[in-house]
Amino acid sequence: MSVEAREARQPWILLSPALTAVALFLFVPLLFILVYSFWLRTATGADQAGFYLDNWREALTDTFYRDILFSTLRIAAITTLVCALMGYPAAYFIARSKGNKAILLLMLMLPFWISYIIRTMSWINILGVSGALNTFLLWIGIITDPIQMLYNETTVILGLVHFLLPFMVLNVFVSLEGIDTNLEDAANSLGATRWETFLQVTLPLSLPGLAAGGLLCFVLGAGTYITPLVLGGPRDAMFANLVFEAIITQLNWPLGSALSLMLLAVLGVLVMIYNRYLGMAQLMKGLG
Amino acid sequence: MGWQLIRGWAILVYIFMFLPVAVVVLLSFNASQFGSFPMTGLSFRWFIELANNDAILRAFRTSIILGLLTAIISTTLGVLASLALVRYRVPGANAISTLLIAPILVPEVVLAVALLLFLNFLGINKSFTLLLFGHVIFTLPFVILVVQARLISIKRDVEEAAMSLGASPRQTFFQITLPLMMPAVLAGGLFAFTISFDDITGTLFWKPGGVETVPTQIFAMLRNSISPEINALGTVMIAMTVGLPLLGAAIARQISKKSGT
């Protein structure tokens, strides 16, 4: 073999283990559940292979699934909006601060490294019947009996915001850092107020970061089932809870496959729209 | 004036992020037998109970073994792939990158279902093996992103110098490239370990009955009520997750200081 041919083959040898793993453990399984979603669950146990539309008919026409899909998207949208409103000013503060930016950013990223389940359950310590807030309100005498503040949609959103906010801050920070501050100075010297400069220069230039953070918050928020289980009530199930129920509790794997693919399709469309206009590179900047 | 407002807002955001964590740590030292306020005094009793809780110790052992194996496999695959992408001109490099990142773009629930059903079809039931495959596949993209970002900064000059002085490609790799890459490899491994150690979404789908990792153990304990032990466990995990990266950074600084002199 010539030297050139060997040189050309080398990267493929290096890439093949990772590519094989992704193909075998992600892409083939995804194709497999596409096939599986057309199988039929039978009372006897073994699923009936074939081409049945029953699962898809149930998943797409039953209003129960549709309602939960819509409420999942609504919860994810509110979460994303709250993350943006809380995270943007915080990221702006870090990016334009005269102090030690690395330390400020690291401090906000620290909770990101702390276990997700611990952070989620920690809200029970604050909002629970004998939590910090109730104890405080009882102590100052505003209430005479503890209030149940937990286990509703608001606490689910609260938990999700606490989980996802670092993704937003990091992405916005990265794009704010990339802006040449001379542009802001130029706008100021041409007579723009600080607020005008922000609205017409800084904000538009940081939109890619805001969009990347927003996409991550939305997709990760819409795919969760642990937060509603820990902080939500019985009626606050999200779409991923239905998938978990179908697969783990009811062992209805064909229906579970169809529901999974529905979730993948809805969120996949968002990722593709994002990719079409902004490209994956922006997203990778914030993650890497 | 505007800046004061932004600063005030940012401080509130910091408080929002830290308050729940602080309360967990505070309550873990609570002497009361309930995991809640009011505090009746400071005590280490919940940490002692934790150290004597077999279920939790087993969960820790499972999580650590799983995390280590995940880190080793994922980092090996990730470093090889990153080397190919950074060091060679690969046709279609962008498409390949997107393919390798795909496990992050697919919602983890969907990935969990697909892998469970497919491997079950192949005869691999819920088991430690399934858990390991799952953890490798969703940590791989993070390792590739982290390692690639650091590999780019390594100059090829040093390697070329070694080659021109007569080192074989193999010698060059093991004596020059690999030592230079070590911080990237360690960072990737640490990242993979942390993500694996923290995972619950996929793990609940893949774990066999009776096997618990630390997060699924906490989740199971939450079903009853929030006991002070959970807060103590939370404090241990906070100490670990905050401590490990700081330790890693300190070691990296030590290494670079030594090689600098």
Side-chain angles (χ1 to χ4, degrees):
Chain A
M1 200 188 327
S2 72
V3 177
E4 288 79 27
R6 220 171 48 216
E7 183 82 346
R9 251 183 48 175
Q10 248 159 7
W12 295 106
I13 296 171
L14 293 171
L15 277 169
S16 58
L19 283 175
T20 311
V22 174
L24 201 62
F25 297 140
L26 179 68
F27 289 108
V28 177
L30 284 178
L31 287 176
F32 179 74
I33 59 166
L34 180 61
V35 175
Y36 212 120
S37 68
F38 292 102
W39 292 9
L40 205 57
R41 190 184 184 213
T42 58
T44 52
D47 294 322
Q48 173 77 46
F51 188 79
Y52 303 95
L53 293 171
D54 302 47
N55 305 304
W56 283 104
R57 194 175 300 126
E58 187 179 343
L60 292 172
T61 59
D62 194 327
T63 52
F64 174 68
Y65 297 118
R66 201 180 51 208
D67 290 348
I68 292 190
L69 181 63
F70 284 149
S71 86
T72 300
L73 296 178
R74 192 186 67 241
I75 289 173
I78 296 173
T79 302
T80 307
L81 189 68
V82 175
C83 282
L85 290 175
M86 287 178 73
Y88 195 100
Y92 186 87
F93 169 74
I94 299 172
R96 296 288 178 268
S97 140
K98 294 189 176 60
N100 192 332
K101 286 181 203 173
I103 296 282
L104 284 173
L105 188 66
L106 186 74
M107 270 174 61
L108 209 55
M109 287 299 124
L110 217 52
F112 175 76
W113 288 95
I114 293 169
S115 161
Y116 160 61
I117 184 80
I118 293 286
R119 282 199 287 149
T120 305
M121 75 91 191
S122 68
W123 285 101
I124 300 175
N125 284 328
I126 299 212
L127 299 174
V129 169
S130 52
L133 193 55
N134 264 314
T135 310
F136 177 72
L137 291 177
L138 283 170
W139 181 66
I140 59 169
I142 289 184
I143 54 171
T144 48
D145 291 302
I147 318 166
Q148 180 55 277
M149 295 177 243
L150 277 174
Y151 312 123
N152 52 55
E153 195 180 289
T154 311
T155 46
V156 172
I157 292 171
L158 189 72
L160 285 176
V161 169
H162 195 241
F163 164 45
L164 296 168
L165 190 58
F167 290 97
M168 180 63 85
V169 173
L170 191 61
N171 277 284
V172 173
F173 173 80
V174 167
S175 71
L176 283 174
E177 273 287 277
I179 297 175
D180 184 353
T181 45
N182 284 329
L183 292 172
E184 292 171 0
D185 294 342
N188 283 328
S189 73
L190 290 170
T193 63
R194 268 192 91 147
W195 178 240
E196 282 170 340
T197 307
F198 174 76
L199 278 186
Q200 293 180 20
V201 178
T202 317
L203 184 63
L205 286 173
S206 64
L207 279 182
L210 194 60
L215 182 78
L216 281 173
C217 288
F218 193 94
V219 170
L220 290 172
T224 183
Y225 68 94
I226 301 291
T227 307
L229 282 180
V230 176
L231 294 177
R235 298 187 323 162
D236 297 315
M238 288 173 70
F239 203 78
N241 292 81
L242 300 180
V243 173
F244 187 77
E245 279 290 304
I247 298 282
I248 301 293
T249 315
Q250 300 164 9
L251 294 173
N252 190 343
W253 288 9
L255 179 65
S257 300
L259 292 175
S260 307
L261 289 168
M262 242 171 100
L263 185 64
L264 179 66
V266 171
L267 299 181
V269 165
L270 277 175
V271 174
M272 270 185 248
I273 294 173
Y274 176 88
N275 188 33
R276 168 78 182 70
Y277 290 102
L278 290 156
M280 280 301 141
Q282 179 67 37
L283 207 58
M284 298 311 137
K285 250 191 266 171
L287 285 169
Chain B
M1 163 57 194
W3 181 249
Q4 294 301 327
L5 215 63
I6 291 170
R7 188 164 68 187
W9 185 261
I11 290 170
L12 288 180
V13 169
Y14 275 88
I15 292 174
F16 171 76
M17 290 310 290
F18 277 97
L19 187 68
V21 177
V23 171
V24 168
V25 176
L26 190 66
L27 281 177
S28 68
F29 292 103
N30 193 357
S32 148
Q33 61 174 310
F34 306 107
S36 57
F37 289 98
M39 305 261 308
T40 54
L42 289 179
S43 127
F44 283 99
R45 65 184 274 204
W46 301 114
F47 291 92
I48 295 163
E49 298 224 350
L50 198 63
N52 292 323
N53 186 326
D54 284 338
I56 290 173
L57 292 180
R58 256 200 317 275
F60 252 102
R61 206 168 48 226
T62 309
S63 277
I64 288 172
I65 294 173
L66 181 62
L68 285 177
L69 288 175
T70 302
I72 292 168
I73 299 174
S74 198
T75 310
T76 309
L77 297 182
V79 166
L80 294 179
S82 305
L83 269 175
L85 289 171
V86 174
R87 284 303 165 83
Y88 293 89
R89 296 175 59 90
V90 189
N94 270 335
I96 293 170
S97 287
T98 309
L99 279 183
L100 291 175
I101 303 304
I104 319 188
L105 302 175
V106 174
E108 200 180 330
V109 188
V110 180
L111 169 72
V113 171
L115 193 64
L116 171 69
L117 267 51
F118 178 63
L119 288 188
N120 188 77
F121 177 73
L122 294 184
I124 301 172
N125 293 319
K126 286 186 182 185
S127 60
F128 190 81
T129 315
L130 173 58
L131 214 45
L132 183 59
F133 285 157
H135 279 217
V136 166
I137 206 66
F138 77 74
T139 53
L140 184 60
F142 292 100
V143 173
I144 290 178
L145 286 173
V146 170
V147 174
Q148 238 180 313
R150 312 226 163 162
L151 267 187
I152 292 172
S153 64
I154 298 177
K155 299 256 186 320
R156 295 213 70 167
D157 307 10
V158 196
E159 293 169 15
E160 277 158 14
M163 302 261 243
S164 73
L165 291 169
S168 69
R170 187 175 296 269
Q171 280 174 320
T172 310
F173 180 78
F174 281 104
Q175 293 180 17
I176 306 291
T177 318
L178 196 60
L180 283 174
M181 269 170 47
M182 258 347 248
V185 174
L186 287 179
L190 195 63
F191 211 19
F193 180 86
T194 312
I195 294 169
S196 158
F197 196 87
D198 190 26
D199 181 73
I200 180 164
T201 303
T203 305
L204 274 186
F205 278 89
W206 299 324
K207 75 178 188 65
V211 171
E212 303 284 355
T213 64
V214 175
T216 67
Q217 177 67 31
I218 295 172
F219 183 68
M221 286 163 75
L222 279 177
R223 294 251 160 121
N224 308 320
S225 70
I226 185 156
S227 79
E229 265 186 307
I230 303 185
N231 286 321
L233 184 54
T235 302
V236 171
M237 288 182 71
I238 291 166
M240 271 183 66
T241 39
V242 174
L244 268 184
L246 289 180
L247 192 71
I251 292 173
R253 198 173 319 136
Q254 211 60 38
I255 291 173
S256 66
K257 215 184 273 173
K258 258 185 209 143
S259 59
T261 51

